[in-house]
Amino acid sequence: MSWETVIGLEIHVRLKTEHKLFCSDRAVFGSEPNTSICPVCMGLPGALPVLNPEAVNLALQTALAFGCTIHFESVWARKSYFYPDLPKGYQITQFEHPLATKGTLMFSGSEGDMSVSIRRVHMEEDAGKLLHDRVPRASAIDLNRAGTALVEIVTEPDLRMPADVRLFLGELKQTLEYVGASDCNMEEGDLRVDANISVRRSGSLRLGNKTEIKNVNSFSGVERALSLEISRQIATLDSGDTVGQQTLLWDDHREELREMRLKEESHDYRYFPEPDLSPLKVTEEQVVAAIESLPELPRERCSRFKDIYELKDYDAEVLTQSAASADYFEELVGIEIDPKVAAKWVTGPLQALMNERREDARTVPVRPAKIGALIGLIERGIVSESAAKSVLVILAQEGGNPSDIIEEQGLIQERDIGQLTSWVTEVLAKHSEEVARYRGGESRILGYLVGQVMNDSGGAADPRLARDLLIKQMSNE
Amino acid sequence: MSIRDEVLSGSEILDVRGSAVLSLDHIKELEGGQESLNAFLAIADPEELEPYDRGPLAGVMVALKDNICTKGLPTTCGSSMLKGYRSPYEATVVKKLRRAGGLIAGKTNLDEFGMGSSTENSAFGPTLNPVDRSLVPGGSSGGSAAAVAAGYVRVALGSDTGGSVRQPAAFCGVVGIKPTYGRVSRYGLIAFASSLDQIGTIGATVLEASLLLEIVSGYDARDSTSAQKPVPSYKDAVVEGVEGMVIGIPTEYFPEQLDPSVRALLDEACERLIDAGAEVRPVSLPHTEFAIPCYYVLATAEASSNLARYDGVRFGVRVPAEGLERMYEATRGNFGTEVKRRIMLGTYVLSSGYYDAYYGTAQRTRASIAHDFKAAFSEVDVLLTPTSPTPAFPLGERVLDPVAMYLSDIFTVTANLAGIPGLSVPIGTVGGLPLGAQLLGPWWGENHIIAAAGALEASYKEDT
Amino acid sequence: MSISAEDVKRIGELARLHLDTDEVERLTSDLNAILQHVDSLRDLGLTEPPEDSLQSGSRLAPDPQGGVEGPDKLHETPVDFAPEWQEGFFIVPAPPGVNPSEDQ
C-alpha cells in the first residue's frame, strides 16, 4: 500500500522594524527583560493600539515578492485566547480580510523547479516570551517581544516531502532577506514554522486527518519532525487505526514530538473585527512604490549570473545565497575583474574570512575595491595567490593598501633567476628520493617539490618560475 | 486644537476660583457622613492639588468617572478586579484638563466597567440620587451626574456606551453630552465596548457641559479612532439660538405606551422650540425597535474581549490558586454578576457557529440604524426625543430583571450605534422627578444640539 | 435559538469564568431571555448592509494612521502594579503541560 503525504505550512516572520506594530516602543532583543514596554503592549486598561506604518511597507514587499494580490483594504481582527504571554487576552491579527492572497514561490526541489502556492500573507502582532527556567516552580514573562510586527505566510498544502519543505523554506528565507523584510535570524525566533500534515492513499483526492506541528525554529528540525510524524501517521493507518487531530510540539533537544494537551474549546478563537483600529488601507501609489523598490529576487539573479557571467551552477547558487554577497560579486565584476576569478575569491577566501569574523558581505571591512586591487597584483605576478590570502587577512585586521602591505611584509614575489635557482638546488639536494621518483615517471611529485620551494622561500618564490626551474634541473642531471 | 485662554471666564463656571480646597473638604465631610450619596470612590487630597492659575479651566474642579485613568488617584472601574489599582499612565482627557488648569476633584462611582443603567452594579455600593435618595441616579455615570446635581462640582466627565452620560444626567436633572464617536480621545478610558464608548461631559448648565466638552475634544495620535476634525466653539453655539432650525420628531421614540406625562413635557419642549423660531416636523427611524438587541450583541461581544485582560497576570488583583487555570478562574471570580452575564453573552455570540447569526446580523442592523439617521438628517437639523421612557426609578427595582434594565436604554443606544452626538437637557419634572429631553444631531454636529439645548434651557429659565 | 446549561458551562470555560451550579442555572435562564429579544434581529432578514452605510464605529472616523511621538512613559514601574514580580519578570503559575525548573 503506498501513501502520499500532504504538507501545508504557516510561517511567522518577524519584520525588521525599528518599533513595535501598535506602539512606539523599540523592537529590541537581547536586552534586559521588560524594559521595552508601555501601556499599549502591556495591555493595560484603557491603552489603545496605533498602527506603525513602517511595518506595512515591509509586509507589502513580502507579499509582492510572492506575486500576491494586494487588497487595498484589509481588516484587523482580534483572535482571543488566554495565555500568560498574551497581554490583552487577544492577538491583533487579520482574519477574514488579509493584506494579500494568492501568490507563489518557486524553488529548486527534489523534482527540479517546483512551486508552492501562497494562500495568504497577513500582518499581526507577536506575543511576549514565557520562560520556565528563571524562577523556581513558576513561569516568568518578558514582554519586550510583545507587540512586535510579524507577517504570517500561509501556503496551500502543496508540499509532499520533508526534504522539499526544507528546500522551500530555504528559498523563502532567502527571498525575505533579499527583500529586506526580515533578518530571518532563526536563533532569535525571527522565523517560526508550523506545519500541517496528513497522509492519504496515493491517488486519493480526499485529505486525511491532519495534525499540526508547532514550535519548530530550524529548517533541519522541520524536516526531522515531519519525517517522524509521517512515519507515525503511516504506522497508525497501516495498523488500521485513524489519525486523530492533534497539535504536536517539536522538542529539538530530544528529537521528539510531544502532544500539546489543549482544552477542547481552545481552538474557538472568537475572531471579530478589531474595533480600536480602522481597516488597513493601502493606496495604489504605495503598492506601485513597493513593486518598484522590490529587488531582483534570488532565483532570477542566480539564473542571470549563470547566463551573463557564465558561472557554474554551484558558484551562482553560492553567490546569490545572500543579496550582500551577490552585490559584492557584481561590484568586483564592475571594476573589470574576470567574473570567474571574482566568483572564486568571493566564494573562497572572502567567504572564509567572513565566516571567521562572523560578518557578511555587507559588513566585512575589506571592500571590493581592495580585493580588486589585490587580484590585479596577482595577475601582474607581483604577489602569489597564497601570499595574497594572508594580505586579505591583514587588510581585514589593519586596513591599508594591498601593495603597501605586500611591500612591508616582504611578500613581493621573487622572480630573480639566481635566487630561485639557489632555492631549487637546495630543495633537490634535500629530496633526492622524490627526485628519483619523478625521474621514474611519477610526475605528480612535482607539486610537492614546488611546495617545498615555496616553503623555503617563505612564500616569496614565483611558483610558475620555480616549477619551470625544477623541471629543467631534474631533466638536465 | 490649542486651548484658547478666552474659552472660559471665571464667572462662567461658578463657585470655583480660590475655593477649591474648601470645596474638597466640604465634599469629604458630606460624603463621609450619614447623608453620603456614595457619589465618589476617591476624593483628591486638597494638599495634593496643583493650584494652576492659568488656562481656561484655572481652578475649576472636575469630577472624573472612575473608568478614566488618572495619576495620583486610584482607577477602579467600580470593580473588585481593580480595587486599589493606580494606573501608571494618564488618560489624554485628564492631561487636557490639567493643561487647561482644571483640578481633579475625585473619581466618581459607576456601574462596574460601565455595565448598567443605575450605578447599582458598583462593587463599592450604589450611588443615591440627590433629588430623592430612594431612587437610582441612573447609570453608568451615576456618580458623576449625582456629584454635579448635588452641587459638589459644576462639571464632570462620564462615559457613554449606550446612554451612560445622558440617562443619569436626565435622572439627576442636569445636562449631559455624548459627542460624536471619535470627537474625544478614548486613550486612557477603560474600555467597555470600544466601538460604542465615548467620553462625555456632565454640567449643571448647557454652557458648562459645552465648555468642558470643548476642552476635552480633538484629535489624539494615541487613539486611531479619534478624528482629525476641527472643534468649533461650543460656547458660541450655546447662545446661537434655533431661528430657522428644523427639528425632527421621530415617531418611533413616542410609542403608544409612553407615559402621557412624559409625552406632555416633550410636547411642551417642542412648543418652546417653535416659539424660539424653530420648525418642527415628524420623521421616521424605522429600525429603532431593533436597536436594543443589536446593542446587546455588539456591546457584549466587544466587552467579552476587552475584559479578557483582567487575568491577574500583569496588573490589578490576583487571587492566588494552584496552577495557572485555577488562578485565572479565581481572579476572574472578582467580576460582579452583571459583568459576568455580559461576558457570557458576548463570548457566546462570538463563539464558533454563532458568529454570523448574532454578530454578523447585529453589524448589518447597526448599519441600517446609521442609515436611518443619515436619511433623517438630510431633512432635519436635530432630533428631539425623551432621554429615557421614565424618570429615575427606585433602587433595587430592576436589578433582578436584566431585560427590563436593558430596556431603559431604549432611546439612547441608537446614538452610540450610529456614532452621532446626543445631549440630555432637563425639561421639567414628572411627579417631582426631573425629566430630560434628548437632542440628537448629525455626525460632528454637536454645535446644533448645543444650540437647541441652549435655547430650551433659556426658555425654561425665563419662567423663573 | 436557545442556550442549554451545557452551552453555558462551555462558554464559562472559554471565558475563564468559574460558575457554580446556581450560577449556571441563573445564567441559562437570563441568557435565554436576552437571546429571545436578540432573535428579533434575524426576523429582520438583513443580508447586506445598506449602501454607503457605516459598518462599525471605527469606520465612522477618518483614518489618521500613525504619528505617535513616542511610547507613553510609565510613571510607575511594573514592580509597583504587577501582582507578582521577580528579577525583572512578571511571574505566573506554570501553564498546564509545562514543568518549570525546581531550582534556578
Side-chain angles (χ1 to χ4, degrees):
Chain A
M1 189 91 55
S2 90
W3 299 98
E4 181 185 47
T5 309
V6 179
I7 304 164
L9 303 173
E10 290 170 15
I11 304 124
H12 291 87
V13 180
R14 182 152 58 218
L15 294 174
K16 199 160 75 181
T17 58
E18 198 179 333
H19 302 285
K20 295 187 177 184
L21 184 54
F22 296 118
C23 61
S24 37
D25 276 311
R26 299 180 74 83
V28 291
F29 306 98
S31 56
E32 289 291 297
N34 294 307
T35 49
S36 195
I37 54 174
C38 76
V40 179
C41 58
M42 255 191 286
L44 292 185
L48 297 171
V50 174
L51 178 65
N52 165 9
E54 68 173 321
V56 177
N57 282 325
L58 292 181
L60 267 182
Q61 291 192 316
T62 304
L64 288 166
F66 307 135
C68 288
T69 305
I70 304 294
H71 300 287
F72 290 119
E73 190 174 301
S74 53
V75 177
W76 300 106
R78 292 184 182 179
K79 176 183 183 179
S80 296
Y81 62 93
F82 284 87
Y83 209 66
D85 62 6
L86 186 71
K88 299 183 293 295
Y90 56 84
Q91 176 195 29
I92 304 177
T93 178
Q94 299 189 308
F95 182 57
E96 269 188 296
H97 304 282
L99 176 68
T101 49
K102 290 201 181 112
T104 47
L105 182 66
M106 300 278 294
F107 70 104
S108 306
S110 58
E111 294 166 24
D113 282 352
M114 296 172 75
S115 90
V116 167
S117 298
I118 306 292
R119 183 182 295 169
R120 56 188 277 151
V121 175
H122 72 249
M123 301 178 70
E124 60 186 27
E125 58 177 346
D126 205 349
K129 267 188 188 155
L130 195 61
L131 307 156
H132 308 297
D133 55 356
R134 300 304 158 104
V135 293
R137 293 172 298 280
S139 299
I141 306 163
D142 176 10
L143 295 179
N144 282 348
R145 197 180 71 178
T148 53
L150 303 178
V151 284
E152 182 174 334
I153 300 161
V154 183
T155 76
E156 295 293 345
D158 291 350
L159 288 153
R160 296 289 174 267
M161 286 166 60
D164 284 334
V165 170
R166 183 171 48 78
L167 293 167
F168 167 78
L169 289 170
E171 186 73 34
L172 181 98
K173 174 172 185 267
Q174 213 178 331
T175 305
L176 293 165
E177 284 170 337
Y178 262 61
V179 168
S182 174
D183 287 332
C184 294
N185 188 332
M186 308 282 291
E187 278 128 47
E188 283 183 4
D190 286 355
L191 209 151
R192 308 193 286 269
V193 181
D194 297 344
N196 288 304
I197 177 166
S198 63
V199 164
R200 64 183 173 194
R201 278 185 210 289
S202 298
S204 164
L205 291 176
R206 236 188 48 209
L207 289 173
N209 280 349
K210 68 176 182 188
T211 58
E212 190 183 6
I213 300 177
K214 276 181 161 330
N215 204 30
V216 202
N217 53 10
S218 78
F219 293 167
S220 61
V222 176
E223 190 180 353
R224 282 174 291 149
L226 284 170
S227 301
L228 207 64
E229 175 58 7
I230 292 168
S231 318
R232 189 193 68 90
Q233 287 196 14
I234 290 176
T236 307
L237 294 170
D238 277 340
S239 71
D241 283 342
T242 50
V243 172
Q245 306 239 353
Q246 55 179 324
T247 302
L248 302 159
L249 280 180
W250 172 246
D251 186 325
D252 211 50
H253 295 296
R254 296 189 190 170
E255 299 244 338
E256 62 180 27
L257 288 162
R258 270 187 292 124
E259 186 177 354
M260 222 172 130
R261 295 200 181 276
L262 296 169
K263 285 197 172 182
E264 188 205 335
E265 83 291 338
S266 62
H267 282 298
D268 194 343
Y269 292 124
R270 292 156 284 146
Y271 288 98
F272 76 103
E274 163 60 283
D276 286 331
L277 292 165
S278 319
L280 170 59
K281 293 199 179 79
V282 293
T283 61
E284 213 175 316
E285 293 81 67
Q286 253 178 302
V287 175
V288 170
I291 292 173
E292 281 169 359
S293 65
L294 215 56
E296 186 183 23
L297 296 174
R299 282 175 63 83
E300 299 161 26
R301 202 164 193 185
C302 183
S303 64
R304 183 168 61 84
F305 277 18
K306 286 188 251 182
D307 290 348
I308 69 167
Y309 301 128
E310 297 175 343
L311 298 181
K312 284 181 284 184
D313 287 4
Y314 176 80
D315 283 345
E317 275 161 28
V318 173
L319 283 175
T320 53
Q321 202 61 244
S322 82
S325 51
D327 289 344
Y328 199 106
F329 164 77
E330 290 209 283
E331 270 188 65
L332 279 176
V333 173
I335 53 174
E336 312 277 304
I337 305 295
D338 178 76
K340 291 196 184 64
V341 176
K344 189 173 83 183
W345 271 83
V346 176
T347 59
L350 183 71
Q351 191 58 52
L353 182 74
M354 293 190 301
N355 291 347
E356 192 176 320
R357 296 176 62 93
R358 293 171 173 275
E359 275 175 312
D360 65 24
R362 204 163 280 128
T363 56
V364 70
V366 185
R367 303 316 301 160
K370 291 281 167 67
I371 290 203
L374 191 57
I375 295 172
L377 293 170
I378 299 169
E379 278 171 356
R380 282 159 51 207
I382 293 173
V383 66
S384 71
E385 232 175 274
S386 63
K389 287 176 191 166
S390 44
V391 175
L392 184 64
V393 174
I394 296 168
L395 279 172
Q397 283 164 353
E398 295 164 18
N401 283 315
S403 50
D404 295 344
I405 294 169
I406 289 166
E407 205 161 322
E408 283 159 23
Q409 304 283 323
L411 293 174
I412 295 177
Q413 209 156 231
E414 189 53 66
R415 314 190 71 194
D416 177 81
I417 298 297
Q419 176 63 61
L420 284 168
T421 306
S422 80
W423 284 328
V424 164
T425 311
E426 232 171 275
V427 165
L428 291 177
K430 272 195 285 186
H431 295 89
S432 50
E433 193 186 321
E434 281 80 7
V435 172
R437 278 162 66 188
Y438 176 81
R439 286 187 178 137
E442 203 180 327
S443 57
R444 277 191 334 191
I445 208 83
L446 183 60
Y448 171 78
L449 292 168
V450 174
Q452 293 307 306
V453 175
M454 296 307 293
N455 240 355
D456 285 7
S457 68
D462 180 320
R464 257 172 308 162
L465 289 178
R467 185 175 176 277
D468 291 350
L469 280 173
L470 281 167
I471 295 171
K472 210 167 119 192
Q473 290 205 16
M474 285 191 286
S475 41
N476 281 353
E477 286 167 27
Chain B
M1 185 199 82
S2 69
I3 294 157
R4 293 159 302 153
D5 273 349
E6 70 272 21
V7 170
L8 291 187
S9 68
S11 61
E12 283 166 339
I13 287 184
L14 303 172
D15 197 19
V16 283
R17 288 175 196 271
S19 65
V21 174
L22 265 182
S23 296
L24 275 179
D25 283 338
H26 197 50
I27 297 167
K28 275 194 174 160
E29 199 179 296
L30 290 168
E31 282 288 273
Q34 294 243 307
E35 300 289 280
S36 171
L37 296 170
N38 198 28
F40 280 96
L41 296 178
I43 298 175
D45 182 346
E47 309 279 308
E48 305 261 298
L49 290 185
E50 297 167 51
Y52 289 104
D53 56 358
R54 296 175 67 83
L57 275 183
V60 173
M61 295 235 292
V62 186
L64 304 181
K65 189 176 182 178
D66 203 27
N67 58 357
I68 298 173
C69 292
T70 315
K71 208 158 66 176
L73 287 166
T75 300
T76 69
C77 269
S79 180
S80 305
M81 191 65 88
L82 287 175
K83 192 174 180 190
Y85 175 68
R86 285 175 182 262
S87 172
Y89 76 100
E90 191 153 74
T92 300
V93 289
V94 184
K95 286 185 179 159
K96 285 190 174 204
L97 289 179
R98 292 193 201 273
R99 232 176 288 143
L103 301 175
I104 309 307
K107 306 298 290 290
T108 59
N109 201 4
L110 68 160
D111 288 299
E112 184 177 2
F113 287 101
M115 298 183 183
S117 309
S118 66
T119 317
E120 290 166 293
N121 296 335
S122 168
F124 309 110
T127 294
L128 311 183
N129 191 324
V131 178
D132 177 338
R133 282 155 192 278
S134 67
L135 305 179
V136 302
S140 63
S141 311
S144 284
V148 173
Y152 294 160
V153 289
R154 298 290 296 185
V155 284
L157 289 184
S159 67
D160 190 316
T161 306
S164 282
V165 160
R166 291 160 287 160
Q167 183 253 27
F171 280 15
C172 294
V174 293
V175 177
I177 311 175
K178 179 206 92 81
T180 310
Y181 185 84
R183 183 59 103 186
V184 178
S185 169
R186 291 188 294 118
Y187 186 76
L189 167 69
I190 299 184
F192 158 14
S194 315
S195 76
L196 301 158
D197 293 342
Q198 187 64 192
I199 287 174
T201 61
I202 294 172
T205 61
V206 176
L207 179 65
E208 286 159 312
S210 305
L211 290 168
L212 190 65
L213 182 62
E214 191 169 331
I215 283 162
V216 296
S217 289
Y219 172 68
D220 176 14
R222 295 200 192 279
D223 175 2
S224 321
T225 63
S226 82
Q228 282 170 312
K229 287 259 178 193
V231 179
S233 165
Y234 297 143
K235 177 190 170 188
D236 293 351
V238 178
V239 291
E240 214 168 75
V242 291
E243 189 69 50
M245 189 183 273
V246 182
I247 293 169
I249 308 296
T251 47
E252 293 79 3
Y253 287 68
F254 295 86
E256 295 225 339
Q257 63 271 33
L258 186 67
D259 187 323
S261 47
V262 172
R263 184 188 300 270
L265 284 184
L266 264 299
D267 285 345
E268 185 196 332
C270 239
E271 290 303 321
R272 286 171 183 264
L273 286 167
I274 292 168
D275 289 346
E279 184 196 321
V280 170
R281 70 168 75 140
V283 291
S284 175
L285 298 163
H287 292 91
T288 303
E289 63 169 306
F290 302 106
I292 288 280
C294 171
Y295 172 81
Y296 277 93
V297 169
L298 298 178
T300 59
E302 292 182 16
S304 71
S305 155
N306 285 330
L307 270 55
R309 68 187 62 192
Y310 302 95
D311 58 3
V313 174
R314 295 162 310 285
F315 59 83
V317 168
R318 170 189 297 184
V319 179
E322 196 58 43
L324 180 73
E325 289 295 331
R326 279 164 181 265
M327 187 278 279
Y328 280 153
E329 290 194 344
T331 299
R332 290 169 65 77
N334 275 302
F335 286 131
T337 307
E338 181 60 24
V339 173
K340 280 188 190 165
R341 184 151 51 213
R342 295 199 194 191
I343 292 175
M344 290 294 290
L345 180 59
T347 305
Y348 179 70
V349 299
L350 289 176
S351 67
S352 174
Y354 300 99
Y355 176 82
D356 196 63
Y358 290 119
Y359 189 87
T361 309
Q363 277 292 37
R364 290 188 286 274
T365 310
R366 178 179 196 171
S368 298
I369 288 166
H371 189 75
D372 283 355
F373 280 112
K374 198 172 181 200
F377 287 122
S378 68
E379 292 174 33
V380 302
D381 298 309
V382 303
L383 297 166
L384 179 73
T385 82
T387 305
S388 170
T390 64
F393 48 84
L395 283 154
E397 187 187 83
R398 299 185 190 176
V399 267
L400 292 175
D401 185 350
V403 174
M405 188 70 96
Y406 295 175
L407 287 172
S408 54
D409 297 335
I410 192 154
F411 299 143
T412 47
V413 295
T414 49
N416 302 81
L417 288 168
I420 57 170
L423 179 158
S424 179
V425 60
I427 52 163
T429 55
V430 172
L433 300 178
L435 193 79
Q438 175 177 240
L439 291 152
L440 298 173
W443 293 268
W444 317 111
E446 286 84 355
N447 46 335
H448 301 308
I449 55 175
I450 289 169
L456 266 180
E457 187 184 57
S459 161
Y460 288 104
K461 212 170 169 185
E462 274 172 26
D463 296 353
T464 58
Chain C
M1 257 183 254
S2 79
I3 179 169
S4 66
E6 280 310 304
D7 292 332
V8 168
K9 282 186 206 156
R10 179 176 58 87
I11 297 300
E13 278 183 31
L14 202 47
R16 300 298 188 276
L17 293 176
H18 175 78
L19 307 171
D20 57 37
T21 323
D22 286 356
E23 277 178 303
V24 170
E25 201 174 305
R26 204 184 56 235
L27 278 165
T28 308
S29 108
D30 285 353
L31 293 186
N32 273 314
I34 299 162
L35 288 170
Q36 211 178 328
H37 273 258
V38 170
D39 281 342
S40 69
L41 289 183
R42 291 186 301 139
D43 303 339
L44 201 55
L46 294 174
T47 50
E48 290 296 321
E51 232 175 287
D52 75 20
S53 65
L54 304 142
Q55 272 288 334
S56 72
S58 61
R59 292 190 186 211
L60 299 172
D63 193 14
Q65 286 204 358
V68 172
E69 56 283 358
D72 198 3
K73 288 205 181 66
L74 297 170
H75 58 251
E76 281 174 43
T77 52
V79 70
D80 297 320
F81 56 81
E84 198 180 342
W85 177 263
Q86 270 184 55
E87 294 165 37
F89 292 100
F90 297 94
I91 303 299
V92 283
V98 168
N99 295 313
S101 62
E102 282 300 305
D103 45 48
Q104 267 171 282

